[in-house]
Amino acid sequence: MDRKQISKMLMKLLLHKRVLLFWGVAAFFLVMPWLLKSCGRPAVLSSQVYENCAVLSIHDGDTMTVNCDGQGMKVRLYCIDAPELGQKPWGRASRDYLRSITSDQVKVIARTKDRYGRLVGEVLSNDQPQKNYNIFMVLNGYAAVYPRYCNDQHYYQAEKEAKETGSNIWGKPGVHQAPWSWRK
C-alpha cells in the first residue's frame, strides 16, 4: 500500500466516525425529552373534571381516596402541602380538619399526575356555592402553599391571610410550616 491509498483509507475511516458521531448525537437529543419526562417530572393532564366522586378516605391533610364513576383513585391536593402525620400535633390536626370540612360527594378537577401515580387536583364541594377544599386548607392554616408546584396566586393570597391571623400552623414557628423541609 502506498501513501495515497493509506491516506484515502484514513479519510474514509474519519468520515465514517463523523457520521457515527453525528447520528449518536442526533439520537441522544431525540431520546432526551422522554428521559426527562420519566425523571420525576409530572405528566400534565387536560384538566379533566370528575363529577360526583364519593370520598372513601382521607389519609392526611393533602391526600384522599375517591371513587368517581366506579374508578377508585388516590388524589393529592393541588398546590398545597400539609404537615405529615409524624409532625405532631399539626399533621393529625390537618387531617382531622380536612375530614371535618369535606362532604361525602366531591368534584375533582385533575391537574396532573405525580411521580407516585396519584392524581393531583383541586377538590371542590358539590353544593352551592362551591368550596375549594385545597384553598380552605391553606386559608385556615392547616396547609402551606407548595411553591415548587404552585403558580396560582389565589393560594398565596390565602396563605398570606392565614399568616397574618396566626392560624394553626402559623401560630408557632417551626418546620411544620414547610413539610417539604421536614421530610428531608
Side-chain angles (χ1 to χ4, degrees), residues 30-41:
L30 287 171
V31 171
M32 184 55 74
W34 288 286
L35 292 175
L36 288 176
K37 187 176 181 180
S38 65
C39 290
R41 291 263 185 217

Side-chain angles (χ1 to χ4, degrees), residues 10-99:
L10 285 174
M11 288 303 283
K12 279 186 181 180
L13 185 60
L14 183 60
L15 180 62
H16 181 70
K17 283 186 176 185
R18 282 186 176 174
V19 169
L20 284 177
L21 178 64
F22 168 79
W23 285 112
V25 169
F28 174 79
F29 283 105
L30 287 171
V31 171
M32 184 55 74
W34 288 286
L35 292 175
L36 288 176
K37 187 176 181 180
S38 65
C39 290
R41 291 263 185 217
V44 177
L45 300 175
S46 59
S47 291
Q48 186 171 352
V49 178
Y50 298 93
E51 303 280 347
N52 297 316
C53 298
V55 177
L56 302 177
S57 64
I58 295 177
H59 308 288
D60 56 28
D62 55 30
T63 310
M64 64 176 63
T65 300
V66 297
N67 185 320
C68 305
D69 299 322
Q71 180 184 1
M73 52 185 130
K74 205 168 201 178
V75 179
R76 172 76 161 77
L77 275 62
Y78 170 74
C79 253
I80 74 169
D81 200 9
E84 300 297 326
L85 291 176
Q87 291 178 271
K88 295 179 182 177
W90 302 283
R92 286 183 184 208
S94 178
R95 179 201 57 201
D96 294 344
Y97 179 72
L98 183 58
R99 285 178 176 173

